[in-house]
Amino acid sequence: MRKMLAAVSRVLSGASQKPASRVLVASRNFANDATFEIKKCDLHRLEEGPPVTTVLTREDGLKYYRMMQTVRRMELKADQLYKQKIIRGFCHLCDGQEACCVGLEAGINPTDHLITAYRAHGFTFTRGLSVREILAELTGRKGGCAKGKGGSMHMYAKNFYGGNGIVGAQGQIFEAYNMAALWKLPCIFICENNRYGMGTSVERAAASTDYYKRGDFIPGLRVDGMDILCVREATKFAAAYCRSGKGPILMELQTYRYHGHSMSDPGVSYRTREEIQEVRSKSDPIMLLKDRMVNSNLASVEELKEIDVEVRKEIEDAAQFATADPEPPLEELGYHIYSSDPPFEVRGANQWIKFKSVS
């Protein structure tokens, strides 16, 4: 044994003394794509629905993973900033629901228009705004996507009309269903069913929880909203249906929010911590995509960890900007009421205070 160790030592010693003529690089060949089975959608007034198998490319998988991880980390940073009282007012977080916003964007075109209610941070990001602009809007800074004047519930981007701060403002939904069906509008109505309306479970609130059937005369789909591939394929199907001239369609995305309704809601008075943990351990959208990619040789654990590190740095840099950027000056309070009107005066809290509005 000693002779063997001595021989190995001499070999290694000799190797270290000679300049290397060749360098061995450990490499791994990843698959370009993989085919996965996905959950069949429940259908209403449809003879056929989205496919039950789909192909995921390595490129798309890495993109989806980064986007979902960015939304997750952004929301967790918003939680931290809120608890530090840097973010004020209402704040609705969407961690747990990342497959909805990322999967939806993967199934439509950038030129399509998207309207949402609150819990809109993820959609704001997938529509093309940066984390810096979103966090700066949450902290009320000039570099925010609405110049720091909109906050959590009023974020906007090109072809994105996000945030509606009035609970129940979407109450005209049945009238909208009717008009869309009469005019055969190319509109996808989406219900993000995260199982709770504020603090009330859907079972306690609705005699029928088949929300995908609520359109009645409008066809509907019930989709696994925790699986980004299910959401993507269902969205592609729904978009193709609308573009073909058949009129509107309704999608119910069954998902789950990890936080409470808003930051003022601890989220555990009407559901148990065990329930939340069970969803995290069995149905987390990021975990599901990660497992698929690793098990199908689309990515390695180490590669995905590198993405995690990069995302954390991006979020930290954005948070630094969102806390250091100045607040908008008071004289700009009335700016941007209209997009292309000449300047005019806006009365303040009393008739003696005047602000100028500039488009």
Side-chain angles (χ1 to χ4, degrees):
M1 180 62 75
R2 289 179 180 175
K3 290 181 179 179
M4 184 182 294
L5 290 174
V8 171
S9 177
R10 285 195 300 273
V11 171
L12 292 176
S13 176
S16 64
Q17 293 171 3
K18 297 178 181 178
S21 58
R22 290 186 299 173
V23 178
L24 295 177
V25 178
S27 63
R28 177 174 172 180
N29 294 322
F30 292 108
N32 290 325
D33 56 60
T35 301
F36 299 100
E37 293 184 357
I38 54 178
K39 185 178 178 181
K40 184 179 180 180
C41 295
D42 295 320
L43 306 179
H44 171 65
R45 289 184 176 271
L46 290 167
E47 293 183 359
E48 59 180 2
V52 292
T53 61
T54 186
V55 174
L56 175 66
T57 65
R58 168 175 157 79
E59 181 182 3
D60 282 345
L62 292 174
K63 180 175 71 172
Y64 300 158
Y65 181 84
R66 182 182 291 272
M67 291 179 74
M68 288 202 292
Q69 195 67 271
T70 300
V71 174
R72 174 72 56 86
R73 292 293 166 185
M74 179 177 68
E75 294 296 67
L76 294 179
K77 178 56 69 174
D79 171 272
Q80 180 184 350
L81 294 173
Y82 195 96
K83 290 173 179 174
Q84 293 173 347
K85 297 186 178 181
I86 297 173
I87 295 175
R88 298 296 189 104
F90 291 104
C91 185
H92 305 84
L93 304 181
C94 70
D95 49 316
Q97 300 182 200
E98 294 87 357
C100 295
C101 56
V102 179
L104 180 70
E105 188 65 32
I108 59 175
N109 302 324
T111 52
D112 292 325
H113 296 260
L114 181 64
I115 306 172
T116 183
Y118 49 64
R119 213 176 306 285
H121 307 162
F123 287 106
T124 309
F125 174 72
T126 58
R127 283 270 86 182
L129 290 184
S130 68
V131 178
R132 282 165 61 107
E133 291 173 291
I134 296 169
L135 288 183
E137 188 58 38
L138 290 173
T139 57
R141 306 306 169 106
K142 197 171 182 178
C145 58
K147 310 298 183 185
K149 296 185 287 186
S152 176
M153 294 184 287
H154 304 285
M155 296 188 177
Y156 306 93
K158 184 175 177 58
N159 298 330
F160 174 67
Y161 317 95
N164 193 317
I166 305 171
V167 175
Q170 299 78 29
Q172 300 89 350
I173 187 68
F174 294 103
E175 288 87 342
Y177 286 163
N178 186 56
M179 292 175 68
L182 284 172
W183 296 343
K184 290 191 177 299
L185 300 181
C187 178
I188 305 173
F189 293 98
I190 298 173
C191 168
E192 286 183 275
N193 179 8
N194 59 25
R195 293 166 51 176
Y196 294 93
M198 299 186 76
T200 305
S201 68
V202 293
E203 291 81 10
R204 293 181 58 210
S208 170
T209 58
D210 292 336
Y211 294 104
Y212 71 109
K213 297 180 180 179
R214 291 288 184 94
D216 189 14
F217 38 81
I218 294 177
L221 301 165
R222 181 157 60 190
V223 184
D224 182 357
M226 301 299 276
D227 182 349
I228 186 172
L229 299 184
C230 278
V231 177
R232 183 188 70 175
E233 294 307 311
T235 304
K236 286 181 178 179
F237 174 88
Y241 180 94
C242 290
R243 297 188 209 281
S244 69
K246 296 178 181 177
I249 193 170
L250 172 60
M251 285 206 307
E252 176 189 345
L253 307 181
Q254 291 189 313
T255 185
Y256 196 84
R257 57 169 162 81
Y258 294 154
H259 268 83
H261 167 71
S262 68
M263 284 301 298
S264 60
D265 169 21
V268 292
S269 60
Y270 48 86
R271 59 182 182 176
T272 64
R273 296 183 188 275
E274 290 74 21
E275 176 186 302
I276 302 170
Q277 187 55 42
E278 183 179 11
V279 176
R280 283 182 180 274
S281 62
K282 294 181 180 180
S283 305
D284 184 79
I286 299 176
M287 178 194 71
L288 291 176
L289 178 62
K290 177 180 179 180
D291 289 347
R292 273 179 170 157
M293 294 185 68
V294 171
N295 294 336
S296 301
N297 196 34
L298 290 175
S300 66
V301 173
E302 294 75 22
E303 185 178 20
L304 297 179
K305 283 183 178 178
E306 288 179 8
I307 292 177
D308 295 346
V309 172
E310 293 169 4
V311 167
R312 286 191 178 97
K313 185 180 185 306
E314 179 188 359
I315 300 301
E316 287 301 325
D317 291 346
Q320 289 291 328
F321 172 78
T323 53
D325 195 48
E327 295 180 355
L330 184 61
E331 57 266 22
E332 293 185 9
L333 184 64
Y335 282 22
H336 309 118
I337 293 176
Y338 298 106
S339 63
S340 57
D341 275 27
F344 61 94
E345 284 192 338
V346 179
R347 197 182 81 175
N350 61 59
Q351 59 183 329
W352 296 282
I353 298 177
K354 302 285 186 181
F355 296 102
K356 178 171 285 189
S357 179
V358 178
S359 298

